[in-house]
Amino acid sequence: MRPLPLALLAACAHQAPVSDATPAAPPPPATGVPGLDALLVPGAVVVFGEVHGTRQGPAFVADAVRAAARTGPVLLGLEIERDEQPRIDAFLASDGGAEARDALVHGAFWHRPFQDGRSSHAMVALLDAARTAGARVLAFDHAATSPNQRDADMAARLAEAPAAAPDATLLVLVGDLHAREVAGLPPAPELVPMAMQLAQRVPSVVTLDLVAAGGTYWACLGPTTADCGVQDATAKDVGPIRVDRSSPPEGYDGVWVVGPITASYPARDPTAPG
């Protein structure tokens, strides 16, 4: 190391003591959601298991993305077909205007006849939050020959991220069945869930199950397009919005509580409610 110039050494010698120095800037603001901020650390892997088709689920994760991005790089994993990755990357690099949004939702994923809630207005808003926060997005879903193969492919794609960017915070939003760390839950008792396989590769993963206070959500409750639409969720008292790991349900490390939920309609219809 080269020695400091004499003039700089003299200036340093006449500086005020450390105790009299100007206080350091306060840390960046956090989400304010109890239990969430402690999870948003560099290198963390957090899986949010959701009920598809709500406004509140993606909005909660958007807040987490913005908070985590204040302290380091963030990668957001979404249950979107990986063929959409080029469109997503183009949107993240855009100004987020109407033309960029139209190009984003022009892909086949957003125009599937079977709209199951994953291609909603709220998901577009989440992608926009990632764009403004400077986060990267990984579309990790993949059509496969069987449900188990699909979950295995999703886990493998996500497992590559911590190895490639160990200092990034990886936040994953996926259906709650895929977010389980144990197998054997109807309606797919033979399924080895994505999060269970991911945890075998990344032991530090934290999985959370969504808890809502009732309301509405967009989902498909049957095998045909006629079964897709706004569904009612049973009202219940779940307490304040928070992440709670004190009494985790089977297959998860805790819950994320979002309060009342509201359906988010498919983004392919720009006139539909967000």
Side-chain angles (χ1 to χ4, degrees):
M1 180 170 132
R2 298 173 59 186
L4 291 172
L6 292 177
L8 183 56
L9 286 171
C12 292
H14 289 87
Q15 285 183 343
V18 174
S19 59
D20 295 333
T22 302
T31 63
V33 176
L36 176 59
D37 298 324
L39 297 177
L40 305 180
V41 297
V45 181
V46 185
V47 177
F48 295 89
E50 72 159 350
V51 174
H52 295 314
T54 77
R55 298 182 189 179
Q56 288 71 23
F60 187 106
V61 175
D63 285 342
V65 167
R66 284 187 284 261
R70 297 187 188 110
T71 59
V74 176
L75 177 61
L76 172 64
L78 294 178
E79 193 183 344
I80 292 176
E81 290 288 341
R82 61 190 67 177
D83 290 346
E84 299 292 325
Q85 190 70 56
R87 293 184 185 277
I88 291 173
D89 291 342
F91 179 75
L92 297 179
S94 75
D95 62 1
E99 185 175 342
R101 182 198 179 280
D102 289 346
L104 170 69
V105 302
H106 187 71
F109 172 79
W110 304 92
H111 290 267
R112 294 166 298 142
F114 197 75
Q115 287 288 316
D116 56 5
R118 291 180 294 143
S119 44
S120 66
H121 283 281
M123 292 295 284
V124 174
L126 174 55
L127 284 165
D128 196 49
R131 181 189 66 83
T132 58
R136 294 185 299 123
V137 173
L138 179 67
F140 62 82
D141 199 4
H142 181 58
T145 56
S146 69
N148 262 332
Q149 186 60 52
R150 179 189 175 204
D151 275 57
D153 289 346
M154 291 195 294
R157 186 161 171 84
L158 284 170
E160 296 171 356
D167 293 332
T169 303
L170 173 58
L171 305 177
V172 179
L173 181 61
V174 67
D176 53 7
L177 182 59
H178 304 295
R180 286 173 57 85
E181 289 184 292
V182 298
L185 181 72
E190 76 288 348
L191 180 68
V192 181
M194 178 274 293
M196 181 177 177
Q197 300 185 58
L198 179 61
Q200 293 170 355
R201 297 175 171 89
V202 187
S204 61
V205 64
V206 174
T207 64
L208 305 171
D209 189 28
L210 184 141
V211 173
T216 59
Y217 61 104
W218 180 285
C220 299
L221 300 187
T224 71
T225 57
D227 298 313
C228 302
V230 176
Q231 316 292 344
D232 292 322
T234 303
K236 58 183 77 170
D237 182 8
V238 299
I241 295 173
R242 67 194 187 279
V243 168
D244 190 343
R245 300 180 64 184
S246 61
S247 299
E250 182 187 13
Y252 304 93
D253 298 308
V255 298
W256 54 305
V257 183
V258 299
I261 53 176
T262 310
S264 182
Y265 285 61
R268 67 184 182 188
D269 182 359
T271 65

